[in-house]
Amino acid sequence: MTDQELMRAAIHLAREKMLAGAGGPFGAIIALDGVVVAQGWNRVTSSNDPTAHAEIVCIRNACAALQTFDLTGYELFVNCEPCPMCLAAAYWARLKRIVYGADHNDAAAIGFADAFIYSELALDKDSRSLQMQQVMPQEARDGLRLWLDLEQKILY
Amino acid sequence: MTDQELMRAAIHLAREKMLAGAGGPFGAIIALDGVVVAQGWNRVTSSNDPTAHAEIVCIRNACAALQTFDLTGYELFVNCEPCPMCLAAAYWARLKRIVYGADHNDAAAIGFADAFIYSELALDKDSRSLQMQQVMPQEARDGLRLWLDLEQKILY
């Protein structure tokens, strides 16, 4: 399938699942060389999971189907630009390309917080509306460093 | 429990689950007024899910336990500063406060991409290492706008 065909499928998926009451109007497809390997749609309200955005669900579905945590070379098609959560997830999954339709300002125009969260992440920790506080940094750092010495670990 | 007691528990959880082979050295706890409601640990490699960071798993567990997608007033305790995916998830979940131990530079020091992904999200779309491409914006935007007219929708 071409980029446009995959985008049309993502737009259709978003609409159908929104109308079925699954959640917000977002749909995602992961493909390799134009061949679909997984799809996902927003299920935040229907599954009581604020992380269940279309892209996250789609990444999880693709990884389950392929039995890997590494989607190097795969491409994500989504009807709206990913929020920071989903964009960072795409980096962790090592996706190669994101093809999107509407952008995060369009998401803001229908009431979603994407643009706000992008602006919050760009602020210093002390200036964010979500309060962040550091405690016991040395103990925590000592714990992290055990990772370096761990044998047989799987890097990701 | 105090902030320090909850942080100590998160550090302990991170260590135990890392040693058990679950994944990276990260543990998280969600509490309300010092009372634990959920915990989570990194399960990226053991569950083949690149989104299964400690904080994401913990948010999902808390929401499942409480049967809600809205954690307004709840607090997250995590042994390392959240990556952008997990920080944005905390905003979507409406958490009140994040208490963290080590920071994302400490995570970078043991080989994790948190700092890199923070820097990527701050770039213009065209400058990111993950290629982003917009197609069919008008069709996608028209689809999003159906949300405004949908009756009986649940806002999140």
Side-chain angles (χ1 to χ4, degrees):
Chain A
M1 292 170 75
T2 65
D3 285 1
Q4 294 231 340
E5 287 169 336
L6 287 162
M7 179 57 64
R8 197 168 292 122
I11 292 171
H12 181 76
L13 182 65
R15 174 194 164 95
E16 293 304 302
K17 297 302 180 178
M18 173 192 78
L19 293 176
F26 305 106
I29 289 170
I30 288 176
L32 181 66
D33 297 331
V35 177
V36 174
V37 297
Q39 59 181 15
W41 54 88
N42 187 288
R43 297 170 56 217
V44 168
T45 54
S46 59
S47 68
N48 281 328
D49 179 358
T51 74
H53 286 198
E55 302 93 321
I56 298 282
V57 173
C58 193
I59 288 170
R60 302 180 81 224
N61 286 346
C63 288
L66 299 165
Q67 298 193 50
T68 178
F69 54 84
D70 183 350
L71 298 176
T72 298
Y74 287 80
E75 302 182 314
L76 175 69
F77 295 80
V78 56
N79 67 313
C80 186
E81 180 188 355
C83 81
M85 174 177 74
C86 297
L87 178 55
Y91 278 93
W92 287 115
R94 299 178 193 149
L95 290 169
K96 174 185 173 187
R97 186 168 68 117
I98 297 174
V99 180
Y100 64 96
D103 69 20
H104 70 255
N105 293 313
D106 298 320
I110 63 163
F112 289 96
D114 303 50
F116 168 72
I117 298 176
Y118 269 106
S119 67
E120 284 281 308
L121 263 65
L123 298 174
D124 289 337
K125 281 196 272 278
D126 292 346
S127 305
R128 291 177 184 148
S129 67
L130 201 167
Q131 189 187 342
M132 298 188 69
Q133 190 174 348
Q134 187 170 36
V135 303
M136 301 173 64
Q138 191 56 54
E139 292 88 337
R141 203 174 293 128
D142 290 345
L144 286 192
R145 297 193 71 83
L146 296 174
W147 177 253
L148 292 177
D149 300 325
L150 187 69
E151 294 181 5
Q152 301 180 308
K153 60 179 171 277
I154 302 171
L155 299 174
Y156 62 89
Chain B
M1 293 169 75
T2 66
D3 284 2
Q4 295 231 338
E5 288 169 336
L6 287 162
M7 180 56 65
R8 197 169 292 121
I11 292 170
H12 180 78
L13 181 65
R15 176 194 164 94
E16 293 304 301
K17 298 301 181 178
M18 173 192 78
L19 293 175
F26 305 106
I29 289 170
I30 287 176
L32 181 67
D33 297 331
V35 178
V36 174
V37 297
Q39 59 181 16
W41 54 89
N42 187 289
R43 298 170 55 217
V44 168
T45 54
S46 60
S47 68
N48 280 329
D49 180 359
T51 75
H53 286 198
E55 302 94 320
I56 298 282
V57 173
C58 193
I59 288 170
R60 300 180 81 224
N61 287 344
C63 287
L66 300 165
Q67 299 191 50
T68 179
F69 55 83
D70 182 351
L71 298 176
T72 298
Y74 287 80
E75 301 183 315
L76 175 69
F77 297 80
V78 56
N79 68 312
C80 186
E81 180 188 355
C83 81
M85 175 177 73
C86 296
L87 178 55
Y91 277 93
W92 286 115
R94 301 180 193 148
L95 290 169
K96 175 185 171 185
R97 186 168 68 117
I98 297 174
V99 181
Y100 64 97
D103 68 20
H104 70 255
N105 293 312
D106 298 319
I110 61 164
F112 289 95
D114 303 48
F116 167 71
I117 297 176
Y118 268 107
S119 68
E120 285 280 309
L121 264 63
L123 298 174
D124 288 335
K125 281 195 273 277
D126 291 346
S127 305
R128 291 176 183 149
S129 66
L130 200 168
Q131 188 187 342
M132 298 187 71
Q133 190 174 347
Q134 188 171 35
V135 303
M136 301 172 64
Q138 190 57 54
E139 292 86 339
R141 202 174 294 128
D142 290 345
L144 286 192
R145 297 193 71 83
L146 296 174
W147 177 253
L148 293 177
D149 299 326
L150 187 69
E151 293 181 5
Q152 301 178 309
K153 61 179 172 277
I154 302 171
L155 299 174
Y156 61 90

